[in-house]
Protein backbone atom coordinates (compact mmCIF):
# COMPACT_ATOMS: atom_id res chain seq x y z
CA UNK A 1 0.00 0.00 0.00
CA UNK A 2 2.82 2.34 0.84
CA UNK A 3 4.49 1.73 -2.50
CA UNK A 4 1.20 2.17 -4.40
CA UNK A 5 0.64 5.47 -2.64
CA UNK A 6 4.05 6.77 -3.60
CA UNK A 7 3.56 5.72 -7.22
CA UNK A 8 0.19 7.45 -7.35
CA UNK A 9 1.74 10.59 -5.83
CA UNK A 10 4.54 10.48 -8.41
CA UNK A 11 2.02 10.12 -11.25
CA UNK A 12 0.00 13.05 -9.88
CA UNK A 13 3.11 15.23 -9.78
CA UNK A 14 3.97 14.31 -13.38
CA UNK A 15 0.42 15.13 -14.51
CA UNK A 16 0.65 18.46 -12.75
CA UNK A 17 3.96 19.16 -14.48
CA UNK A 18 2.47 18.38 -17.89
CA UNK A 19 -0.52 20.60 -17.10
CA UNK A 20 1.83 23.42 -16.15
CA UNK A 21 3.77 23.03 -19.41
CA UNK A 22 0.55 23.11 -21.41
CA UNK A 23 -0.48 26.30 -19.68
CA UNK A 24 2.78 27.97 -20.60
CA UNK A 25 2.37 27.03 -24.26
CA UNK A 26 -1.15 28.46 -24.56
CA UNK A 27 -1.95 32.13 -25.34
CA UNK A 28 -2.09 34.34 -22.28
CA UNK A 29 -5.20 34.98 -20.26
CA UNK A 30 -8.09 32.91 -19.00
CA UNK A 31 -9.91 31.35 -21.92
CA UNK A 32 -13.31 29.79 -22.58
CA UNK A 33 -13.54 27.89 -25.82
CA UNK A 34 -17.26 27.52 -26.29
CA UNK A 35 -17.33 30.08 -29.10
CA UNK A 36 -14.66 28.75 -31.43
CA UNK A 37 -13.11 25.51 -32.54
CA UNK A 38 -9.84 25.92 -30.66
CA UNK A 39 -9.52 26.10 -26.85
CA UNK A 40 -6.87 28.80 -27.29
CA UNK A 41 -8.92 31.38 -29.15
CA UNK A 42 -12.32 32.42 -27.86
CA UNK A 43 -13.67 34.47 -25.00
CA UNK A 44 -11.61 35.63 -22.07
CA UNK A 45 -13.10 36.42 -18.68
CA UNK A 46 -10.88 37.58 -15.87
CA UNK A 47 -11.03 39.04 -12.42
CA UNK A 48 -9.42 42.40 -12.63
CA UNK A 49 -7.06 44.39 -10.43
CA UNK A 50 -8.81 46.17 -7.67
CA UNK A 51 -9.94 49.66 -6.85
CA UNK A 52 -13.65 49.32 -5.95
CA UNK A 53 -15.02 52.81 -6.45
CA UNK A 54 -18.20 52.36 -4.48
CA UNK A 55 -16.41 51.90 -1.15
CA UNK A 56 -13.83 54.70 -1.23
CA UNK A 57 -15.91 57.34 0.52
CA UNK A 58 -17.30 54.99 3.15
CA UNK A 59 -14.23 52.98 4.13
CA UNK A 60 -11.06 54.95 3.27
CA UNK A 61 -9.13 53.30 6.09
CA UNK A 62 -9.42 49.91 4.36
CA UNK A 63 -7.96 51.05 1.05
CA UNK A 64 -4.48 49.72 1.75
CA UNK A 65 -5.90 46.38 2.87
CA UNK A 66 -7.78 46.13 -0.40
CA UNK A 67 -4.64 46.77 -2.38
CA UNK A 68 -2.86 43.88 -0.69
CA UNK A 69 -5.75 41.47 -1.19
CA UNK A 70 -6.65 42.46 -4.73
CA UNK A 71 -6.86 40.16 -7.69
CA UNK A 72 -4.85 40.34 -10.87
CA UNK A 73 -5.39 38.86 -14.33
CA UNK A 74 -3.86 35.51 -15.17
CA UNK A 75 -0.75 35.11 -17.25
CA UNK A 76 0.79 32.02 -18.77
CA UNK A 77 4.31 33.26 -19.07
CA UNK A 78 4.32 34.88 -22.51
CA UNK A 79 6.00 38.25 -22.75
CA UNK A 80 5.48 40.93 -25.34
CA UNK A 81 7.58 44.00 -25.98
CA UNK A 82 6.00 47.45 -25.67
CA UNK A 83 4.84 49.33 -28.76
CA UNK A 84 7.47 51.45 -30.54
CA UNK A 85 8.18 54.67 -28.70
CA UNK A 86 6.46 53.52 -25.52
CA UNK A 87 8.48 52.98 -22.38
CA UNK A 88 8.09 49.76 -20.47
CA UNK A 89 5.72 50.23 -17.54
CA UNK A 90 5.67 48.13 -14.39
CA UNK A 91 2.13 46.85 -14.05
CA UNK A 92 1.07 43.88 -11.94
CA UNK A 93 2.56 40.50 -12.85
CA UNK A 94 -0.37 38.08 -13.14
CA UNK A 95 -0.34 34.45 -12.08
CA UNK A 96 -0.95 31.65 -14.61
CA UNK A 97 -4.36 30.05 -14.98
CA UNK A 98 -6.08 28.43 -17.91
CA UNK A 99 -9.51 26.96 -18.49
CA UNK A 100 -10.70 25.25 -21.66
CA UNK A 101 -14.30 24.74 -20.67
CA UNK A 102 -17.22 26.27 -22.53
CA UNK A 103 -18.32 28.33 -19.53
CA UNK A 104 -17.07 31.73 -18.50
CA UNK A 105 -14.69 31.26 -15.59
CA UNK A 106 -12.81 33.76 -13.46
CA UNK A 107 -9.82 33.54 -11.16
CA UNK A 108 -7.50 35.81 -9.24
CA UNK A 109 -4.26 35.99 -7.32
CA UNK A 110 -2.56 38.24 -4.79
CA UNK A 111 -0.64 41.26 -5.99
CA UNK A 112 3.13 40.78 -6.16
CA UNK A 113 5.20 42.26 -3.30
CA UNK A 114 6.68 44.86 -5.67
CA UNK A 115 3.24 46.32 -6.35
CA UNK A 116 2.07 46.03 -2.77
CA UNK A 117 5.13 47.99 -1.69
CA UNK A 118 3.99 50.83 -3.95
CA UNK A 119 0.42 50.74 -2.66
CA UNK A 120 -0.67 54.31 -1.93
CA UNK A 121 -2.24 55.41 1.31
CA UNK A 122 -5.79 56.83 1.23
CA UNK A 123 -4.43 60.37 1.52
CA UNK A 124 -2.53 59.90 -1.74
CA UNK A 125 -5.80 59.60 -3.61
CA UNK A 126 -6.31 63.34 -3.35
CA UNK A 127 -4.47 65.99 -5.31
CA UNK A 128 -1.85 68.18 -3.71
CA UNK A 129 -3.36 71.12 -1.79
CA UNK A 130 -3.50 74.37 -3.72
CA UNK A 131 -0.61 76.75 -3.22
CA UNK A 132 -1.29 80.36 -2.30
CA UNK A 133 -2.77 82.15 -5.29
CA UNK A 134 -3.02 78.98 -7.37
CA UNK A 135 -6.13 78.65 -9.53
CA UNK A 136 -8.82 76.07 -8.76
CA UNK A 137 -9.90 75.87 -12.41
CA UNK A 138 -7.51 73.02 -13.20
CA UNK A 139 -8.17 71.01 -10.03
CA UNK A 140 -9.83 68.14 -11.94
CA UNK A 141 -7.06 68.07 -14.50
CA UNK A 142 -4.45 67.76 -11.74
CA UNK A 143 -6.57 65.08 -10.07
CA UNK A 144 -6.54 63.05 -13.29
CA UNK A 145 -2.80 63.50 -13.70
CA UNK A 146 -2.20 62.20 -10.16
CA UNK A 147 -4.08 58.92 -10.73
CA UNK A 148 -3.28 55.93 -12.91
CA UNK A 149 -5.59 53.89 -15.12
CA UNK A 150 -4.96 50.93 -12.82
CA UNK A 151 -6.60 52.88 -9.99
CA UNK A 152 -10.09 52.52 -11.42
CA UNK A 153 -9.97 48.93 -12.60
CA UNK A 154 -12.67 47.15 -10.54
CA UNK A 155 -12.06 44.24 -8.20
CA UNK A 156 -14.02 41.89 -10.42
CA UNK A 157 -15.31 42.45 -13.92
CA UNK A 158 -16.01 40.61 -17.15
CA UNK A 159 -13.64 40.93 -20.09
CA UNK A 160 -14.58 39.08 -23.26
CA UNK A 161 -11.94 38.56 -25.96
CA UNK A 162 -12.63 37.28 -29.47
CA UNK A 163 -10.22 35.56 -31.81
CA UNK A 164 -10.37 37.06 -35.30
CA UNK A 165 -11.20 33.63 -36.76
CA UNK A 166 -14.55 33.61 -34.95
CA UNK A 167 -17.69 34.11 -37.05
CA UNK A 168 -19.11 37.63 -36.89
CA UNK A 169 -22.58 36.35 -36.07
CA UNK A 170 -21.35 34.26 -33.13
CA UNK A 171 -19.32 37.20 -31.85
CA UNK A 172 -22.33 39.51 -31.72
CA UNK A 173 -24.44 36.82 -30.06
CA UNK A 174 -21.64 36.45 -27.49
CA UNK A 175 -21.69 40.20 -26.78
CA UNK A 176 -25.41 39.90 -26.04
CA UNK A 177 -25.03 36.75 -23.94
CA UNK A 178 -22.29 38.32 -21.82
CA UNK A 179 -23.95 41.71 -21.50
CA UNK A 180 -20.96 43.65 -22.86
CA UNK A 181 -20.77 46.30 -25.57
CA UNK A 182 -17.30 45.66 -26.97
CA UNK A 183 -14.50 43.10 -26.98
CA UNK A 184 -10.78 43.23 -27.84
CA UNK A 185 -9.78 41.17 -30.87
CA UNK A 186 -6.91 38.69 -30.60
CA UNK A 187 -5.03 37.58 -33.71
CA UNK A 188 -3.28 34.26 -33.15
CA UNK A 189 -0.87 34.72 -36.04
CA UNK A 190 0.49 37.95 -34.60
CA UNK A 191 -0.01 36.85 -31.00
CA UNK A 192 -1.34 40.28 -30.11
CA UNK A 193 -4.51 42.36 -29.87
CA UNK A 194 -5.31 44.01 -33.18
CA UNK A 195 -8.57 45.88 -32.65
CA UNK A 196 -11.98 46.06 -31.01
CA UNK A 197 -15.33 44.62 -32.03
CA UNK A 198 -18.16 46.96 -31.04
CA UNK A 199 -21.82 47.54 -31.72
CA UNK A 200 -20.70 50.04 -34.37
CA UNK A 201 -19.37 47.09 -36.40
CA UNK A 202 -22.76 45.40 -36.17
CA UNK A 203 -24.44 48.61 -37.40
CA UNK A 204 -21.95 49.01 -40.25
CA UNK A 205 -22.55 45.45 -41.44
CA UNK A 206 -26.33 45.93 -41.42
CA UNK A 207 -25.99 49.32 -43.10
CA UNK A 208 -23.75 48.00 -45.86
CA UNK A 209 -25.38 44.66 -46.67
CA UNK A 210 -29.07 44.87 -45.79
CA UNK A 211 -31.34 44.66 -48.86
CA UNK A 212 -34.79 43.59 -47.71
CA UNK A 213 -36.51 41.19 -45.30
CA UNK A 214 -36.55 38.61 -48.10
CA UNK A 215 -32.78 38.60 -48.58
CA UNK A 216 -30.54 36.99 -45.98
CA UNK A 217 -27.47 38.99 -44.94
CA UNK A 218 -24.85 36.48 -46.05
CA UNK A 219 -21.96 38.62 -44.81
CA UNK A 220 -23.30 38.56 -41.26
CA UNK A 221 -24.16 34.86 -41.34
CA UNK A 222 -20.95 33.51 -42.84
CA UNK A 223 -18.07 36.00 -42.54
CA UNK A 224 -15.37 35.69 -39.93
CA UNK A 225 -14.22 38.73 -37.98
CA UNK A 226 -10.94 38.82 -39.89
CA UNK A 227 -12.81 38.85 -43.21
CA UNK A 228 -15.00 41.74 -42.09
CA UNK A 229 -11.95 43.69 -40.91
CA UNK A 230 -10.22 43.21 -44.25
CA UNK A 231 -13.28 44.39 -46.18
CA UNK A 232 -14.21 47.26 -43.91
CA UNK A 233 -10.82 48.66 -42.98
CA UNK A 234 -8.99 48.20 -46.27
CA UNK A 235 -6.78 51.29 -46.67
CA UNK A 236 -8.19 53.02 -43.59
CA UNK A 237 -6.57 50.54 -41.22
CA UNK A 238 -5.47 52.02 -37.91
CA UNK A 239 -3.58 50.25 -35.12
CA UNK A 240 -5.43 49.46 -31.90
CA UNK A 241 -5.54 52.45 -29.56
CA UNK A 242 -4.72 51.23 -26.05
CA UNK A 243 -3.17 52.46 -22.84
CA UNK A 244 -0.87 51.13 -20.13
CA UNK A 245 -2.20 50.58 -16.58
CA UNK A 246 0.56 52.91 -15.38
CA UNK A 247 -0.55 55.78 -17.63
CA UNK A 248 -2.40 58.66 -15.98
CA UNK A 249 -6.16 59.10 -16.19
CA UNK A 250 -5.49 62.42 -17.90
CA UNK A 251 -3.76 60.51 -20.71
CA UNK A 252 -6.77 58.18 -20.90
CA UNK A 253 -9.24 61.08 -21.19
CA UNK A 254 -7.08 62.76 -23.82
CA UNK A 255 -6.75 59.53 -25.81
CA UNK A 256 -10.51 58.82 -25.72
CA UNK A 257 -11.43 62.29 -26.96
CA UNK A 258 -8.55 62.82 -29.38
CA UNK A 259 -9.15 59.47 -31.11
CA UNK A 260 -12.96 59.88 -30.98
CA UNK A 261 -13.50 56.52 -29.33
CA UNK A 262 -15.71 55.42 -26.46
CA UNK A 263 -13.68 52.43 -25.26
CA UNK A 264 -9.99 52.30 -24.42
CA UNK A 265 -8.47 48.89 -23.61
CA UNK A 266 -5.94 48.83 -20.78
CA UNK A 267 -3.17 46.47 -21.89
CA UNK A 268 -0.13 45.42 -19.90
CA UNK A 269 2.82 46.44 -22.12
CA UNK A 270 5.04 43.71 -20.64
CA UNK A 271 2.80 40.61 -20.75
CA UNK A 272 0.40 41.78 -23.46
CA UNK A 273 -2.60 40.96 -21.25
CA UNK A 274 -5.81 42.95 -21.64
CA UNK A 275 -6.86 44.05 -18.15
CA UNK A 276 -9.93 46.20 -18.61
CA UNK A 277 -11.78 48.52 -21.00
CA UNK A 278 -11.90 52.13 -19.86
CA UNK A 279 -14.90 54.31 -20.72
CA UNK A 280 -15.94 57.93 -20.23
CA UNK A 281 -18.60 56.75 -17.80
CA UNK A 282 -16.16 54.89 -15.56
CA UNK A 283 -13.71 57.81 -15.44
CA UNK A 284 -16.39 60.39 -14.66
CA UNK A 285 -17.84 58.17 -11.95
CA UNK A 286 -14.41 57.89 -10.35
CA UNK A 287 -13.98 61.66 -10.40
CA UNK A 288 -17.46 62.22 -8.97
CA UNK A 289 -16.59 60.15 -5.88
CA UNK A 290 -13.95 62.71 -4.89
CA UNK A 291 -15.57 65.93 -6.08
CA UNK A 292 -16.98 66.78 -2.67
CA UNK A 293 -13.49 66.55 -1.13
CA UNK A 294 -11.91 69.00 -3.56
CA UNK A 295 -12.18 72.76 -4.04
CA UNK A 296 -14.98 73.54 -6.47
CA UNK A 297 -13.95 75.49 -9.59
CA UNK A 298 -16.04 78.56 -10.38
CA UNK A 299 -17.11 77.16 -13.76
CA UNK A 300 -19.07 74.37 -12.02
CA UNK A 301 -21.60 77.00 -10.91
CA UNK A 302 -22.07 78.30 -14.46
CA UNK A 303 -24.86 77.01 -16.68
CA UNK A 304 -24.53 75.27 -20.03
CA UNK A 305 -25.49 78.40 -21.94
CA UNK A 306 -22.66 80.38 -20.33
CA UNK A 307 -20.09 77.62 -20.83
CA UNK A 308 -21.17 76.66 -24.34
CA UNK A 309 -20.87 72.93 -23.58
CA UNK A 310 -22.71 70.49 -25.86
CA UNK A 311 -24.02 70.42 -29.43
CA UNK A 312 -26.87 72.74 -30.37
CA UNK A 313 -26.83 72.95 -34.14
CA UNK A 314 -28.03 70.52 -36.79
CA UNK A 315 -29.22 67.96 -34.22
CA UNK A 316 -30.20 64.65 -35.83
CA UNK A 317 -33.47 63.09 -34.66
CA UNK A 318 -36.07 60.57 -35.78
CA UNK A 319 -39.80 59.96 -35.37
CA UNK A 320 -41.59 56.99 -33.77
CA UNK A 321 -42.53 55.62 -37.21
CA UNK A 322 -39.00 55.93 -38.68
CA UNK A 323 -37.80 52.58 -40.09
CA UNK A 324 -34.83 51.05 -38.27
CA UNK A 325 -32.73 50.92 -41.45
CA UNK A 326 -33.09 54.70 -41.80
CA UNK A 327 -31.95 55.20 -38.22
CA UNK A 328 -28.90 52.99 -38.88
CA UNK A 329 -28.10 55.02 -41.98
CA UNK A 330 -28.13 58.20 -39.89
CA UNK A 331 -25.83 56.59 -37.30
CA UNK A 332 -23.30 55.80 -40.02
CA UNK A 333 -23.61 58.97 -42.13
CA UNK A 334 -23.67 61.44 -39.23
CA UNK A 335 -21.27 59.44 -37.04
CA UNK A 336 -23.38 59.84 -33.93
CA UNK A 337 -24.27 57.40 -31.17
CA UNK A 338 -27.89 58.28 -30.32
CA UNK A 339 -31.02 59.72 -31.93
CA UNK A 340 -33.75 61.49 -29.93
CA UNK A 341 -37.23 60.30 -30.92
CA UNK A 342 -39.53 63.29 -31.48
CA UNK A 343 -43.32 63.14 -31.90
CA UNK A 344 -45.45 65.23 -34.26
CA UNK A 345 -45.59 68.16 -31.84
CA UNK A 346 -41.80 68.25 -31.58
CA UNK A 347 -41.68 66.82 -28.06
CA UNK A 348 -38.91 64.39 -27.14
CA UNK A 349 -40.60 61.09 -26.25
CA UNK A 350 -37.78 58.53 -26.46
CA UNK A 351 -34.21 57.99 -27.59
CA UNK A 352 -32.74 55.32 -29.88
CA UNK A 353 -29.05 54.65 -29.26
CA UNK A 354 -26.46 52.40 -30.82
CA UNK A 355 -26.72 50.12 -27.82
CA UNK A 356 -30.41 49.51 -28.61
CA UNK A 357 -29.36 48.11 -32.00
CA UNK A 358 -27.75 45.07 -30.36
CA UNK A 359 -31.24 43.97 -29.35
CA UNK A 360 -31.73 43.08 -33.02
CA UNK A 361 -29.10 40.41 -32.51
CA UNK A 362 -30.60 39.35 -29.19
CA UNK A 363 -34.03 38.93 -30.76
CA UNK A 364 -32.59 37.60 -34.05
CA UNK A 365 -34.72 40.19 -35.89
CA UNK A 366 -31.91 41.85 -37.86
CA UNK A 367 -33.19 40.37 -41.14
CA UNK A 368 -36.15 42.77 -41.07
CA UNK A 369 -34.97 46.34 -40.66
CA UNK A 370 -38.11 47.81 -42.18
CA UNK A 371 -39.88 47.76 -38.81
CA UNK A 372 -40.32 51.09 -37.03
CA UNK A 373 -38.24 52.44 -34.17
CA UNK A 374 -41.25 52.10 -31.87
CA UNK A 375 -41.57 48.41 -32.70
CA UNK A 376 -37.84 47.85 -32.17
CA UNK A 377 -37.79 49.63 -28.81
CA UNK A 378 -40.42 47.24 -27.49
CA UNK A 379 -37.61 44.65 -27.30
CA UNK A 380 -35.38 46.62 -24.92
CA UNK A 381 -33.58 44.14 -22.71
CA UNK A 382 -33.37 46.57 -19.79
CA UNK A 383 -36.04 48.62 -18.06
CA UNK A 384 -36.23 52.08 -19.62
CA UNK A 385 -36.96 54.89 -17.20
CA UNK A 386 -37.41 57.53 -19.87
CA UNK A 387 -35.23 60.08 -21.61
CA UNK A 388 -32.86 61.85 -19.22
CA UNK A 389 -33.13 65.57 -20.01
CA UNK A 390 -31.71 68.88 -18.87
CA UNK A 391 -31.98 72.61 -19.56
CA UNK A 392 -29.35 75.00 -20.87
CA UNK A 393 -29.93 77.07 -17.73
CA UNK A 394 -28.85 74.30 -15.35
CA UNK A 395 -25.36 74.43 -13.87
CA UNK A 396 -22.55 72.11 -14.90
CA UNK A 397 -22.46 70.78 -11.34
CA UNK A 398 -26.10 69.70 -11.64
CA UNK A 399 -25.49 68.18 -15.07
CA UNK A 400 -22.52 66.10 -13.89
CA UNK A 401 -24.44 64.82 -10.89
CA UNK A 402 -27.45 63.87 -13.01
CA UNK A 403 -25.57 62.06 -15.78
CA UNK A 404 -23.50 60.05 -13.25
CA UNK A 405 -26.52 59.03 -11.18
CA UNK A 406 -28.59 58.14 -14.26
CA UNK A 407 -25.66 56.10 -15.68
CA UNK A 408 -26.35 57.30 -19.21
CA UNK A 409 -24.00 58.46 -21.94
CA UNK A 410 -25.78 61.71 -22.80
CA UNK A 411 -28.49 64.14 -21.76
CA UNK A 412 -31.02 65.62 -24.16
CA UNK A 413 -31.17 69.40 -23.73
CA UNK A 414 -34.78 70.61 -24.02
CA UNK A 415 -36.73 73.85 -23.64
CA UNK A 416 -39.88 74.55 -21.62
CA UNK A 417 -42.03 72.78 -24.24
CA UNK A 418 -39.85 69.64 -24.04
CA UNK A 419 -38.66 70.26 -27.59
CA UNK A 420 -35.10 69.28 -28.43
CA UNK A 421 -32.49 72.02 -28.16
CA UNK A 422 -29.25 70.04 -28.10
CA UNK A 423 -27.24 67.10 -26.78
CA UNK A 424 -24.58 67.02 -24.08
CA UNK A 425 -22.45 63.89 -23.90
CA UNK A 426 -19.96 62.38 -21.47
CA UNK A 427 -17.12 63.43 -23.74
CA UNK A 428 -18.39 67.03 -23.71
CA UNK A 429 -18.33 66.97 -19.91
CA UNK A 430 -14.85 65.42 -19.60
CA UNK A 431 -13.59 67.90 -22.16
CA UNK A 432 -14.90 70.77 -20.03
CA UNK A 433 -13.74 69.38 -16.69
CA UNK A 434 -10.31 68.06 -17.65
CA UNK A 435 -9.01 69.04 -21.08
CA UNK A 436 -10.23 72.61 -21.53
CA UNK A 437 -8.65 73.77 -18.24
CA UNK A 438 -5.45 72.08 -19.40
CA UNK A 439 -5.48 74.14 -22.58
CA UNK A 440 -6.40 71.23 -24.83
CA UNK A 441 -8.18 72.04 -28.07
CA UNK A 442 -11.97 71.65 -28.08
CA UNK A 443 -12.93 68.33 -29.66
CA UNK A 444 -15.64 67.61 -32.17
CA UNK A 445 -18.49 65.18 -31.46
CA UNK A 446 -17.05 61.71 -31.23
CA UNK A 447 -18.27 58.40 -32.58
CA UNK A 448 -18.12 54.88 -31.22
Amino acid sequence: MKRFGSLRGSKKRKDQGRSSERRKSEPHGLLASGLSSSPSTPTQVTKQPTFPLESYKHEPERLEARLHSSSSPPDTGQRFGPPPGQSVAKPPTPAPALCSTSKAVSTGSLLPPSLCAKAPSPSQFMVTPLAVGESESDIYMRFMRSHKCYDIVPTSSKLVVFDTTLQVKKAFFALVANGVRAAPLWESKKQSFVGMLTITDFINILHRYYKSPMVQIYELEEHKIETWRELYLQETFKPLVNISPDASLFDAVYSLIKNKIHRLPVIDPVSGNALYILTHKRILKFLQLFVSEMPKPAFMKKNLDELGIGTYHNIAFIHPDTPIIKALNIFVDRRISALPVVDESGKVVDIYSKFDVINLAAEKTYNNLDITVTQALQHRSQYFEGVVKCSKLETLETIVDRIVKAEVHRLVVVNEADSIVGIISLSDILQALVLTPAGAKQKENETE
Side-chain angles (χ1 to χ4, degrees):
M1 289 297 292
K2 192 171 183 180
R3 183 182 177 188
F4 175 76
S6 63
L7 287 174
R8 182 170 56 184
S10 175
K11 182 178 184 299
K12 185 176 182 180
R13 285 192 295 272
K14 288 181 180 179
D15 290 342
Q16 289 175 340
R18 293 193 192 101
S19 177
S20 176
E21 291 175 1
R22 283 198 299 271
R23 283 198 296 267
K24 291 181 180 180
S25 66
E26 293 287 347
H28 66 282
L30 188 63
L31 307 177
S33 61
L35 297 177
S36 68
S37 58
S38 169
S40 64
T41 60
T43 61
Q44 173 188 10
V45 182
T46 66
K47 262 192 176 181
Q48 303 300 342
T50 186
F51 271 93
L53 304 183
E54 296 77 6
S55 303
Y56 280 169
K57 293 182 98 176
H58 307 295
E59 299 176 272
E61 72 280 358
R62 296 181 58 191
L63 179 58
E64 183 128 3
R66 279 195 208 94
L67 285 167
H68 287 271
S69 62
S70 61
S71 60
S72 60
D75 182 8
T76 57
Q78 291 191 357
R79 291 291 179 267
F80 297 80
Q86 183 176 353
S87 60
V88 177
K90 295 181 179 180
T93 305
L98 178 68
C99 176
S100 59
T101 65
S102 60
K103 294 183 179 180
V105 185
S106 62
T107 187
S109 63
L110 293 178
L111 287 175
S114 61
L115 193 65
C116 290
K118 297 190 298 180
S121 64
S123 61
Q124 288 178 286
F125 272 76
M126 299 308 297
V127 294
T128 306
L130 289 171
V132 177
E134 190 173 2
S135 172
E136 296 177 351
S137 62
D138 65 348
I139 187 73
Y140 301 141
M141 180 270 290
R142 293 189 294 112
F143 176 86
M144 291 295 182
R145 287 191 185 278
S146 66
H147 291 80
K148 297 181 179 181
C149 295
Y150 181 75
D151 292 351
I152 65 173
V153 176
T155 306
S156 178
S157 66
K158 183 178 293 184
L159 181 64
V160 180
V161 171
F162 296 136
D163 191 281
T164 54
T165 59
L166 188 65
Q167 282 187 331
V168 169
K169 179 180 177 180
K170 289 184 177 180
F172 288 125
F173 285 168
L175 288 181
V176 173
N178 286 280
V180 296
R181 303 188 180 201
L185 297 176
W186 173 263
E187 187 170 324
S188 298
K189 295 177 183 177
K190 296 181 179 179
Q191 285 290 289
S192 65
F193 291 100
V194 294
M196 295 280 289
L197 187 77
T198 70
I199 297 171
T200 299
D201 291 297
F202 185 53
I203 292 172
N204 285 329
I205 290 175
L206 298 178
H207 166 74
R208 177 176 290 196
Y209 298 114
Y210 178 76
K211 298 295 187 294
S212 76
M214 305 302 294
V215 180
Q216 189 179 44
I217 306 175
Y218 168 81
E219 290 78 7
L220 180 59
E221 301 289 338
E222 303 296 335
H223 276 183
K224 295 180 179 179
I225 295 174
E226 59 187 4
T227 308
W228 161 243
R229 282 173 53 82
E230 290 171 2
L231 292 173
Y232 178 65
L233 297 176
Q234 294 180 351
E235 296 180 0
T236 62
F237 174 78
K238 295 180 181 179
L240 173 65
V241 179
N242 64 85
I243 197 164
S244 163
D246 273 354
S248 72
L249 285 178
F250 178 86
D251 292 337
V253 172
Y254 183 80
S255 185
L256 282 165
I257 296 179
K258 175 188 175 183
N259 293 289
K260 300 180 180 180
I261 55 178
H262 285 163
R263 288 164 186 85
L264 181 64
V266 180
I267 297 181
D268 183 332
V270 178
S271 69
N273 282 346
L275 308 179
Y276 189 63
I277 298 177
L278 277 181
T279 63
H280 299 88
K281 184 191 291 186
R282 183 74 178 181
I283 294 173
L284 188 60
K285 183 178 181 181
F286 180 77
L287 175 63
Q288 180 73 352
L289 289 175
F290 295 95
V291 162
S292 62
E293 309 296 330
M294 290 186 278
K296 196 176 299 296
F299 63 76
M300 291 295 284
K301 292 297 183 180
K302 294 184 178 181
N303 61 41
L304 297 183
D305 197 27
E306 293 173 313
L307 295 171
I309 300 173
T311 302
Y312 301 96
H313 302 286
N314 197 22
I315 304 298
F317 62 89
I318 54 178
H319 297 288
D321 59 351
T322 299
I324 287 296
I325 186 61
K326 184 175 180 180
L328 300 188
N329 293 341
I330 297 174
F331 281 143
V332 174
D333 297 338
R334 296 286 299 272
R335 303 186 67 179
I336 55 179
S337 58
L339 288 164
V341 181
V342 178
D343 65 13
E344 295 178 355
S345 65
K347 182 179 179 180
V348 178
V349 294
D350 211 326
I351 191 164
Y352 189 68
S353 69
K354 282 187 172 182
F355 182 66
D356 292 314
V357 179
I358 202 66
N359 290 324
L360 298 174
E363 299 289 330
K364 298 180 174 60
T365 56
Y366 51 80
N367 277 318
N368 183 10
L369 301 181
D370 293 341
I371 61 173
T372 67
V373 169
T374 301
Q375 291 173 308
L377 288 176
Q378 292 174 355
H379 299 286
R380 273 193 173 117
S381 58
Q382 298 176 342
Y383 176 70
F384 182 65
E385 297 183 354
V387 183
V388 186
K389 308 169 188 175
C390 68
S391 163
K392 287 184 72 173
L393 300 180
E394 292 184 277
T395 64
L396 181 56
E397 181 181 13
T398 302
I399 297 299
V400 172
D401 187 61
R402 183 174 304 161
I403 202 168
V404 170
K405 287 182 178 178
E407 296 189 340
V408 294
H409 292 84
R410 65 201 63 81
L411 300 181
V412 179
V413 185
V414 297
N415 57 20
E416 295 81 359
D418 242 9
S419 297
I420 184 170
V421 173
I423 298 283
I424 180 167
S425 66
L426 288 171
S427 59
D428 293 329
I429 293 174
L430 284 174
Q431 170 77 48
L433 298 182
V434 181
L435 298 189
T436 298
K441 184 180 178 181
Q442 184 72 31
K443 305 298 177 180
E444 299 175 354
N445 290 337
E446 66 188 60
T447 60
E448 190 163 7

